[in-house]
Amino acid sequence: MAEEISESPNHPPPETPPSPPSEPEFDSKTMRKTKPGLKRLFLTFTVLVSFLLGFPFLFKSVEIYRSPLPFHDIDILSNDVVSNPFLFPFHFQAIFVPSDPKSSSIDVNLDELELSIRTKITKLASKGIGSQCGACTNNFTLSLTLDNGDCTQSLSKFYKCGSIRAADLDFSDDESVDEALESAGLDFGGKVYSVVVVVNGDGVEGVKVVVGKYRHAWIVGRDWRVEEVAERLAEIFVKVFVNGGREEGLIHGEFMPVGADGRIVLSFNLLNADPRDWIYDWDFQKIDETLLAPMIDTLGPIANISVESQVLYYTPKFSFSSWDEKLGGYILSTKDLPFFVNSNEWHLDTSIAAGGRSKILQFVVYVPSAKECPLLLQLPNGEISKTNAFISPMWGGVMVWNPQSCSRDSDSELLVKHIMSPEDLQKIFEVFAGQFRQLFGLKSGSLHVGALDTYGLLASEKGFTEWELDFLSRQHTCFNIHSSATTLGSLSKLVQSLPRMIIMDEIGKQVKFSLEAANLARSNASLGFYDASAVSSRQARSLAEDAFFHPSIMSVSYYSFEHCFAVYSPFFLPVSMHVLLAALREWRRYKQEKAKYLLWKAKEKAAS
């Protein structure tokens, strides 16, 4: 035992093994030891992305086709028409010739006379017209020529000295003078308005003023003063040649009897009030060929005119007439005219163009019954109308035609059809020609009352003189350009306010061509090409109207985006909400699981 005690100090005590490192405390609620997987998140977002990728296809399937429109060009045209009305150039010339160059001479200062005429033209042009389209303000040239042996001219480019010899003209025959001046070539082919002043004219008492069928007039007188001649020249230039002989100046565009498509349908109607008394018919084809064709060709640049006719029976009038023993007829006063047309019995609108945008002008020949024959129209002054006719603005005209004998044909059931004589037809269509002129705002008479004299106006066999056609072309151009600019401006505002409106390629082309025609009309007007500007402006208005009233626009004018959303949202909104919420929940879950994993990795790193 002692040995054991003695040997014990030589042996060290056994070593205790090292204890393993302690693991960090793990909380299963806030930590996780494995990295969260992306498979679930990937599948969820795949569904969301595929759903989102379907929206472009949906939008494409409900896309509205819109042809691009030149909105900027439309705004430029609208602003120019309102702020800068274009003015037609006018060229005036006055030619002074003595009645006999050997025995008389003209002593006049052309510079002073030109200044006086210019002042009076400007003064007359500014009355009630201002700077409106088609007015004559400062856009005119004036040249004076003194053809008195030694020819003296003031800026004249059109008159050839010696072309007119007053001694060769018979001023008692206006038609021959008019043709002689036309053959003299006063304008050299251009649109120049000329006035020939014949001083010391023999065979003329006082002063005689006549306006011809072309673009010239003449003044003949023995005694004249410079100021009076200047006044007459200014009146002829402005009130006759520029304003078309209208006292009030320009034609109001809304009263131009031309349809929006540039067409006019002349409907001629022969109405037999009571065919039991008599039946009348007419040879309208001959009328169309001989009387209407020249007038229609003349108005070709202004409107595309077509003609139709019909004969109606049993067409009584609405208004009542009373017998006047003194006048020997049944009297119809002007206050009863608004009730004359019987729209219930007069079936006039049978034209194929009645439902379109063409303008239909009705011309009615009313043959009264035997019980009210002769039927006479009494004017407000108590006199009987010479033409026995009246007009209705923007509708047409009516003429009451009384048969020569107001007794019935017979009491038999079989009546003989009477054909109107060529003489009666000539008189009837002379009245209709005057009514047609009045519907265009022109005078039907042959006189114009001026400040100093009464001017004679020669009538043209075509119904309209050349200076009247120039006037109508200018006014028609102004109205068409203003109308097309207004229509295109309204279309531009409508299209921009409704983004879901369908705009077909045809509409885009119509708008483009309308703008081109309007600009061409303005260019032609600035150059003085009246006919060409009227044709182009008519095309511009017609194309603008076609674009604005296109059927594709009218069918979906109010198909808005809100309507589209209301239609498709019940199908896609519930599904899209579930997919979107699922993706959000999965993203939030993934972020939470990843945060748990990162927390465990942080504690594990700190413990090591």
Side-chain angles (χ1 to χ4, degrees):
M1 184 176 181
E3 289 181 357
E4 292 178 359
I5 295 174
S6 61
E7 290 179 358
S8 59
N10 296 328
H11 298 278
E15 295 181 358
T16 58
S19 60
S22 61
E23 292 185 0
E25 185 178 356
F26 177 76
D27 186 1
S28 60
K29 294 182 178 180
T30 59
M31 302 178 189
R32 62 177 294 167
K33 295 182 178 180
T34 59
K35 187 176 182 180
L38 296 175
K39 183 178 180 180
R40 183 174 173 179
L41 180 64
F42 175 76
L43 291 176
T44 304
F45 272 87
T46 300
V47 175
L48 177 62
V49 171
S50 61
F51 191 83
L52 294 177
L53 290 177
F55 276 101
F57 295 98
L58 173 64
F59 291 147
K60 188 66 178 178
S61 64
V62 296
E63 181 183 15
I64 297 298
Y65 181 77
R66 293 169 64 88
S67 176
L69 298 182
F71 299 113
H72 181 65
D73 295 339
I74 294 175
D75 293 338
I76 291 177
L77 177 63
S78 300
N79 294 333
D80 286 346
V81 169
V82 174
S83 59
N84 300 315
F86 59 96
L87 302 175
F88 293 84
F90 294 94
H91 304 290
F92 304 135
Q93 70 171 347
I95 304 167
F96 297 85
V97 295
S99 59
D100 187 0
K102 297 180 179 179
S103 60
S104 61
S105 61
I106 304 175
D107 185 14
V108 64
N109 189 324
L110 290 185
D111 294 334
E112 293 181 1
L113 183 58
E114 180 181 352
L115 179 60
S116 178
I117 296 174
R118 284 184 178 273
T119 303
K120 294 181 183 298
I121 288 177
T122 305
K123 182 179 179 181
L124 287 175
S126 62
K127 290 183 178 179
I129 299 177
S131 59
Q132 295 184 20
C133 177
C136 170
T137 52
N138 297 322
N139 53 317
F140 68 91
T141 62
L142 175 64
S143 63
L144 304 182
T145 300
L146 181 59
D147 195 355
N148 186 19
D150 297 332
C151 189
T152 305
Q153 293 183 321
S154 170
L155 301 176
S156 180
K157 302 178 182 178
F158 309 101
Y159 177 71
K160 183 179 180 181
C161 291
S163 300
I164 300 176
R165 290 175 53 85
D168 298 336
L169 303 177
D170 182 9
F171 293 104
S172 62
D173 186 358
D174 294 335
E175 291 290 343
S176 64
V177 175
D178 191 38
E179 295 299 332
L181 294 180
E182 175 64 15
S183 61
L186 300 180
D187 54 3
F188 273 34
K191 285 184 170 55
V192 182
Y193 301 102
S194 307
V195 179
V196 178
V197 182
V198 180
V199 185
N200 300 326
D202 296 331
V204 177
E205 297 181 359
V207 177
K208 180 180 180 181
V209 182
V210 181
V211 181
K213 295 178 294 185
Y214 303 100
R215 296 184 180 91
H216 51 250
W218 60 92
I219 303 174
V220 184
R222 297 187 62 84
D223 300 322
W224 60 285
R225 300 178 181 86
V226 174
E227 285 299 320
E228 292 181 357
V229 172
E231 183 71 25
R232 292 186 178 97
L233 290 173
E235 275 194 347
I236 295 174
F237 287 144
V238 177
K239 290 190 175 182
V240 178
F241 290 144
V242 176
N243 293 343
R246 290 173 51 91
E247 298 296 336
E248 61 272 25
L250 300 179
I251 286 179
H252 295 291
E254 60 269 20
F255 297 114
M256 290 289 287
V258 182
D261 57 354
R263 297 176 179 270
I264 302 177
V265 178
L266 302 182
S267 178
F268 293 90
N269 307 273
L270 176 59
L271 274 55
N272 292 273
D274 192 347
R276 293 170 297 183
D277 297 333
W278 44 59
I279 298 176
Y280 280 90
D281 202 347
W282 54 12
D283 187 2
F284 190 82
Q285 184 176 0
K286 184 178 296 184
I287 298 170
D288 189 11
E289 294 175 355
T290 58
L291 301 178
L292 294 178
M295 182 175 63
I296 292 174
D297 294 339
T298 300
L299 293 173
I302 299 174
N304 185 3
I305 303 177
S306 59
V307 179
E308 60 186 24
S309 68
Q310 62 179 346
V311 180
L312 301 179
Y313 305 96
Y314 296 102
T315 54
K317 59 182 177 58
F318 258 157
S319 57
F320 297 95
S321 59
S322 58
W323 173 261
D324 190 303
E325 189 69 29
K326 183 178 179 181
L327 297 175
Y330 291 89
I331 304 303
L332 183 67
S333 62
T334 53
K335 64 181 180 180
D336 296 326
L337 293 183
F339 311 100
F340 188 89
V341 177
N342 187 349
S343 57
N344 293 330
E345 301 291 342
W346 297 10
H347 302 291
L348 304 180
D349 293 332
T350 58
S351 171
I352 57 175
R357 291 185 289 114
S358 300
K359 182 62 182 178
I360 302 179
L361 295 179
Q362 306 287 353
F363 292 96
V364 176
V365 179
Y366 181 80
V367 182
S369 62
K371 339 181 258 194
E372 54 178 4
C373 181
L375 183 61
L376 306 176
L377 175 60
Q378 189 177 37
L379 301 177
N381 58 6
E383 298 181 358
I384 299 300
S385 172
K386 295 180 180 179
T387 60
N388 215 28
F390 63 94
I391 67 169
S392 177
M394 300 300 293
W395 184 84
V398 177
M399 178 181 178
V400 178
W401 184 79
N402 296 299
Q404 293 182 355
S405 176
C406 285
S407 59
R408 296 183 58 180
D409 288 345
S410 65
D411 294 332
S412 62
E413 296 182 359
L414 184 60
L415 296 179
V416 178
K417 180 181 293 186
H418 302 277
I419 304 297
M420 289 185 174
S421 64
E423 293 77 12
D424 290 334
L425 290 177
Q426 180 74 26
K427 295 178 181 178
I428 289 173
F429 278 87
E430 285 179 358
V431 174
F432 282 161
Q435 291 180 338
F436 193 44
R437 288 170 52 84
Q438 287 181 308
L439 293 174
F440 271 98
L442 300 174
K443 289 184 176 181
S444 60
S446 59
L447 295 177
H448 175 78
V449 180
L452 300 176
D453 308 289
T454 298
Y455 307 157
L457 305 177
L458 296 186
S460 173
E461 62 276 2
K462 298 179 180 180
F464 296 86
T465 62
E466 290 189 5
W467 56 269
E468 288 175 335
L469 292 174
D470 292 344
F471 167 70
L472 292 178
S473 297
R474 291 192 299 267
Q475 302 313 307
H476 194 61
T477 299
C478 291
F479 174 65
N480 284 340
I481 294 298
H482 184 272
S483 177
S484 61
T486 303
T487 303
L488 292 177
S490 300
L491 177 63
S492 174
K493 294 178 182 178
L494 180 65
V495 170
Q496 294 183 71
S497 64
L498 298 175
R500 298 291 298 176
M501 176 183 291
I502 296 177
I503 307 298
M504 306 296 292
D505 286 334
E506 183 180 2
I507 299 176
K509 293 179 180 179
Q510 289 170 344
V511 172
K512 176 185 176 182
F513 294 151
S514 177
L515 289 172
E516 292 178 353
N519 293 327
L520 180 60
R522 292 169 63 89
S523 176
N524 290 330
S526 63
L527 298 175
F529 301 147
Y530 302 153
D531 295 346
S533 63
V535 173
S536 300
S537 68
R538 190 179 70 190
Q539 295 175 351
R541 182 189 177 194
S542 178
L543 290 170
E545 294 282 342
D546 291 341
F548 189 84
F549 292 104
H550 197 275
S552 63
I553 289 182
M554 302 303 294
S555 62
V556 291
S557 293
Y558 300 101
Y559 182 37
S560 62
F561 178 78
E562 290 78 5
H563 173 79
C564 181
F565 180 79
V567 170
Y568 291 101
S569 60
F571 298 97
F572 296 97
L573 189 59
V575 178
S576 61
M577 291 298 295
H578 283 292
V579 173
L580 182 61
L581 292 176
L584 291 176
R585 285 196 301 266
E586 183 59 29
W587 174 251
R588 186 169 56 184
R589 187 200 66 82
Y590 175 78
K591 289 179 65 177
Q592 291 176 353
E593 295 300 322
K594 187 176 181 180
K596 290 180 181 180
Y597 174 73
L598 294 177
L599 180 61
W600 164 252
K601 294 298 291 183
K603 281 194 174 186
E604 188 178 34
K605 184 177 181 180
S608 62

